[in-house]
């Protein structure tokens, strides 16, 4: 009984770990197509919970009809295959321009991509419980331990993904890893090699999946980028892309900074005076008007992006104090390396939340200008 319970704990831990990893990855892998917003996370959480709920119901019925280790094995195997389909399916339908509202579009895409994998993962726990219970007098103790390990797997999957895995591996490599872990667990805990017929089917399945992975890796597990994109990075905050972009009537190629699903800045690395966006030109007119009355200014930018206007102010108004609050240190690094901000710049960068910076900025002195330039695909931050 002890070995059975230990195996059950390991299975639900792995399944729950993979479920939460996939759920967190969902928001990031969808970002280049639908952005990151309240709508995105609402759809992801709702769809995954719906899948787990329906999976638990179906899994309970399946457990009563087929209470054997092979059932557990096949569910793990199919869950792994489901995880492997997420990346190619996202590329296939993520950019679909559905003629509907944004909220409904996000919900439909999320359902199409993540509902089935979530349902398959949700079916595992009822089967595990059924296979573990052999004494009704110990039901509470056994189920409690299984549930505790399931929750522990969810917790570790959440923290590991959010704090470490995404920035280290990237979303697509994570999905590939989760698929491999689940398929490997199918053979480790499912007893798929114990019978000849099951062994043959298992071997064929493994070979098929291996061929699939080999042939699809270059497509499914690498982001689809057009020829102009020369930099791609998933940071702790954004999916960052840099691409060549025609400016000045097409006579020059500038650099466009894309965060998730939106171009945030367009820079000419050789010309800090180039301002592409109309709202930045309005900034420039207001600052220019004020500079008629003062020798220099103190400016705070909440949101850095490509540092387009901070670069302009540094070049045009020597002696000015320019502070930029950019939440993502990776964005600041990219600007230094690719978007024309020199390492010896006088611009001071603060990689922290803009609201937190302002709340605690008494020691920073007063500013003549505060530019609110933090935004996502849909809006400025709600606060």
């Amino acid at each position: 009984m002890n070995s059975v319970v230990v195996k059950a704990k390991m299975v639900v831990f792995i399944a729950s770990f993979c479920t939460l990893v996939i759920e967190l990855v969902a928001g990031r892998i969808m970002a280049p197509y639908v952005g990151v917003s309240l709508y995105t996370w609402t759809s992801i959480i709702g769809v995954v919970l719906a899948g787990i709920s329906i999976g638990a119901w179906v899994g309970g019925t399946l457990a009563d009809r087929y209470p054997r280790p092979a059932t557990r094995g096949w569910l793990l195997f199919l869950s792994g295959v489901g995880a492997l389909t997420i990346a190619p399916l996202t590329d296939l339908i993520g950019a679909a321009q559905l003629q509907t509202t944004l909220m409904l579009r996000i919900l439909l895409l999320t359902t199409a991509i993540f509902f089935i994998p979530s349902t398959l993962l949700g079916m595992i726990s009822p089967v595990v419980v059924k296979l573990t219970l052999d004494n009704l007098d110990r039901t509470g103790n056994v189920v409690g331990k299984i549930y505790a390990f399931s929750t522990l797997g969810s917790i570790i999957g959440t923290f590991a993904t959010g704090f470490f895995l995404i920035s280290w591996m990237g979303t697509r490599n994570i999905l590939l890893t989760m698929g491999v872990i689940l398929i490997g667990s199918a053979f480790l805990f499912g007893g798929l090699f114990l019978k000849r017929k099951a062994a043959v089917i298992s071997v064929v399945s493994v070979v098929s999946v291996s061929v699939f992975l080999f042939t699809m890796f270059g497509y499914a597990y690498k982001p689809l980028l057009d020829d102009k994109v020369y930099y791609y990075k998933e940071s702790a905050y954004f999916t960052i892309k840099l691409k060549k972009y025609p400016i000045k009537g097409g006579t020059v190629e500038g650099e466009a900074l894309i965060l998730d699903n939106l171009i945030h800045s367009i820079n000419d690395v050789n010309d800090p005076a180039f301002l592409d966006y109309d709202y930045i030109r309005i900034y420039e007119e207001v600052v220019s008007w004020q500079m008629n009355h003062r020798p220099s200014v103190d400016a705070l930018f909440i949101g850095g992006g490509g540092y387009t206007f901070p670069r302009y102010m540094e070049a045009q108004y020597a002696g000015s104090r320019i502070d930029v609050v950019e939440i993502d240190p990776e964005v600041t690094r990219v600007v230094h390396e690719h978007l024309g901000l020199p390492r010896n710049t006088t611009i001071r960068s603060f990689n922290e939340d803009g609201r937190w910076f302002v709340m605690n900025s008494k020691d920073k002195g007063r500013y003549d200008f505060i530019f609110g330039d933090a935004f996502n695909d849909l809006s400025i931050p709600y606060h």
Side-chain angles (χ1 to χ4, degrees), residues 172-213:
R172 293 166 188 269
N173 287 332
I174 291 175
L175 291 171
L176 177 62
T177 303
M178 293 305 105
V180 171
I181 288 174
L182 287 167
I183 291 173
S185 299
F187 297 100
L188 185 61
F189 301 111
L192 298 186
F193 281 128
L194 296 181
K195 294 182 179 180
R196 182 178 301 176
K197 181 178 179 181
V200 172
I201 296 175
S202 301
V203 170
V204 173
S205 301
V206 170
V207 172
S208 300
V209 171
S210 299
V211 172
F212 169 81
L213 292 177

Side-chain angles (χ1 to χ4, degrees), residues 54 93 112-113 116 159 225 275 316 320 330 337 348 351:
I54 293 175
I93 68 173
I113 296 169
I116 291 178
F159 284 114
L225 305 174
L275 304 176
Q316 294 293 115
S320 295
E330 189 66 23
E337 293 186 0
R348 298 193 303 175
N351 296 124

Side-chain angles (χ1 to χ4, degrees), residues 128-139:
V128 170
V129 171
K130 178 71 174 183
L131 293 174
T132 307
L133 292 176
D134 62 353
N135 185 346
L136 294 180
D137 293 335
R138 302 182 68 248
T139 299

Side-chain angles (χ1 to χ4, degrees), residues 10 23 31 42 67 103 149 188 212 245 259 266 277 359 377:
M10 295 175 67
E23 183 173 359
T42 299
M103 285 187 291
F149 271 80
L188 185 61
F212 169 81
Y245 194 90
L259 302 180
I266 300 173
Y277 288 142
M359 289 170 59
D377 301 70

Side-chain angles (χ1 to χ4, degrees), residues 58-81:
V58 176
T61 302
L62 194 66
D64 288 338
R65 293 185 179 180
Y66 307 102
R68 56 182 72 106
T71 303
R72 177 176 59 202
W74 282 113
L75 288 177
L76 286 166
F77 180 84
L78 293 174
S79 297
V81 174

